[in-house]
Amino acid sequence: MALRVGVVGGGQLARMMVPAAVELGLDIRVLAEGPGMSAAIAATAEGDYHDLDTVLAFAREVDAVTFDHEHVPQDVLRGLVDAGIAVHPGPDALAVAQDKITMRQRLGELGFPVPDWAAVHDADELRAFLAEHGGRAVVKTARGGYDGKGVRVVSGAAEVEDWFAAVAETGADQALLVEELVPFTRELAQSVARRPSGEVVAWPLVETIQRDGVCAEVIAPAPASAGRLADAAESLAVGIAETLGVTGVLAVELFQTADERILVNELAMRPHNTGHWTIDGATTSQFEQHLRAVLDLPLGATGSHDPVAVMVNVLGGPADGDLAARYPAALAAFPEAKLHFYGKAPRPGRKVGHVTVTGDEVDDVVYRARAAAAHFDD
Ligand code: ADP
């Protein structure tokens, strides 16, 4: 009988697990939030992931459960574990990725390098942090942020009045995260995969270029990173995966500073946008690796096919909404480009797909990947 894996959440990450599952001969099932999601091709169930009974009914039919996102509540995760279901990553690890304050706290306690930060409950606490950090800082909502939503650079407490009001309304001991505005020279990301029995592998360190808080491009490997920097990033990410007991793929977003230090910005415990290049550029893609890891199968080789791979996101898509109409020109102009679309309707700022090009020389590959992706914008 085929090994069965269940993915909670029907977004593009679940969708991109499907070809890998098909090739490996796995039976992949998806619990989608509703009809018409990116992963509808494998959606065997629809339902609310906040409801334990719904998730349990789905999970009882598979050998391991994993996720398209990090939003499944802790009580649901623990309910699955209590019912004897293999959940990867598990609730303790996921708790660290679900809340940015918990993440800063745990990583700091464990000695991993993070920006200066504080949990602030009101405007006075934020003003005190600003006064100690040159008058400007980055404020983040602890939960539910993505693609820069929930991140503001501020120089006064009034700029996050609405977020403090929302926090006060919850009544619980909630806070906002404030951290130093890191003067980074560039952003990097290190992905690793770990299986429950302990094996860990790492892909090459990559450079990520963000626009308006959203990942726009990824260059693999990160230029001028061989040696000390790559080693430091790999041991940092492996250390985090092992210490927190992460199972599946872990992506660690990093800031590189002028004095060559690296600081951890974010953790994602699932395949991540900064690892999409691995589908076309590495021996084992992050999606195949995630499935192998959550089923506790031996992990695949992570080497690259070509010296350089560049991934460019298609953000928004064409104003007329007609992606398909752009295919003939894009495919004809760049036959070497690999197009990946997520079955999502174009909308301003929305990640609707990505393009990957591989080759020998960074500037040339960046140019071709950008030009191919530009066929899908206006
Ligand atoms: P999200 O969870 O929404 O992706 P992040 O915390 O990753 O949010 O922040 C999005 C982007 O904002 C980062 O990639 C980076 O460019 C910028 N950013 C976040 N935190 C800081 C910081 N402390 N200093 C400088 N820039 C930051």
Side-chain angles (χ1 to χ4, degrees):
M1 198 173 81
L3 290 167
R4 300 159 307 172
V5 62
V7 187
V8 177
Q12 66 251 30
L13 301 177
R15 179 189 180 96
M16 287 186 271
M17 289 179 206
V18 175
V22 170
E23 285 170 7
L24 280 173
L26 306 176
D27 176 355
I28 188 166
R29 303 170 185 197
V30 172
L31 174 62
E33 292 82 341
M37 303 271 307
S38 272
I41 35 173
T44 55
E46 280 172 19
D48 182 1
Y49 61 78
H50 298 89
D51 179 56
L52 177 58
D53 290 338
T54 302
V55 185
L56 259 180
F58 171 75
R60 287 196 200 281
E61 302 297 318
V62 295
D63 299 303
V65 168
T66 191
F67 309 96
D68 168 78
H69 56 72
E70 283 135 353
H71 307 313
V72 177
Q74 280 288 321
D75 58 337
V76 173
L77 297 171
R78 291 188 192 278
L80 295 175
V81 172
D82 290 347
I85 287 157
V87 179
H88 297 294
D92 290 342
L94 264 176
V96 181
Q98 287 179 324
D99 184 298
K100 289 184 182 190
I101 293 176
T102 309
M103 188 188 297
R104 287 279 176 265
Q105 216 157 19
R106 285 288 287 144
L107 291 176
E109 282 164 9
L110 294 167
F112 294 109
V114 293
D116 261 359
W117 67 278
V120 288
H121 301 82
D122 56 39
D124 285 341
E125 290 180 4
L126 176 54
R127 275 189 215 103
F129 187 93
L130 283 166
E132 286 164 20
H133 292 82
R136 252 153 73 86
V138 182
V139 180
K140 301 181 181 182
T141 52
R143 287 172 169 268
Y146 67 99
D147 285 353
K149 295 172 185 58
V151 175
R152 286 184 199 161
V153 177
V154 306
S155 40
E159 292 164 62
V160 285
E161 216 171 333
D162 52 337
W163 286 354
F164 275 128
V167 160
E169 225 164 80
T170 67
D173 180 34
Q174 297 283 328
L176 298 177
L177 172 66
V178 59
E179 53 190 36
E180 65 172 307
L181 182 62
V182 177
F184 58 79
T185 49
R186 61 176 175 171
E187 292 185 76
L188 302 166
Q190 176 67 60
S191 283
V192 298
R194 180 174 175 276
R195 57 189 280 218
S197 53
E199 186 189 4
V200 189
V201 295
W203 284 273
L205 178 68
V206 301
E207 176 171 348
T208 75
I209 295 144
Q210 323 280 324
R211 287 197 199 103
D212 301 326
V214 185
C215 175
E217 296 177 12
V218 172
I219 303 172
S225 65
R228 202 196 61 81
L229 183 63
D231 292 348
E234 181 174 328
S235 56
L236 180 64
V238 169
I240 293 172
E242 287 179 337
T243 320
L244 298 180
V246 180
T247 42
V249 168
L250 166 72
V252 182
E253 294 180 47
L254 300 160
F255 297 129
Q256 182 180 356
T257 61
D259 55 358
E260 294 288 298
R261 283 184 316 133
I262 48 176
L263 301 174
V264 178
N265 175 31
E266 269 267 84
L267 303 182
M269 295 182 191
R270 50 173 169 72
H272 190 247
N273 197 169
T274 58
H276 288 356
W277 69 274
T278 58
I279 302 174
D280 305 303
T283 303
T284 308
S285 80
Q286 62 167 348
F287 298 99
E288 176 182 342
Q289 199 81 287
H290 189 72
L291 297 174
R292 290 161 80 133
V294 302
L295 289 165
D296 205 10
L297 294 170
L299 301 178
T302 51
S304 305
H305 297 308
D306 284 304
V308 181
V310 174
M311 186 238 43
V312 176
N313 274 335
V314 177
L315 296 171
D320 64 6
D322 193 353
L323 280 168
R326 309 297 175 106
Y327 273 60
L331 294 171
F334 295 98
E336 74 280 32
K338 305 303 288 184
L339 308 185
H340 301 262
F341 284 96
Y342 309 149
K344 289 159 78 173
R347 208 164 58 203
R350 194 179 202 196
K351 281 180 190 164
V352 293
H354 72 267
V355 176
T356 302
V357 176
T358 65
D360 292 325
E361 202 269 317
V362 177
D363 289 346
D364 167 61
V365 179
V366 167
Y367 165 76
R368 287 185 287 128
R370 280 185 189 164
H375 277 274
F376 297 94
D377 294 325
D378 285 303

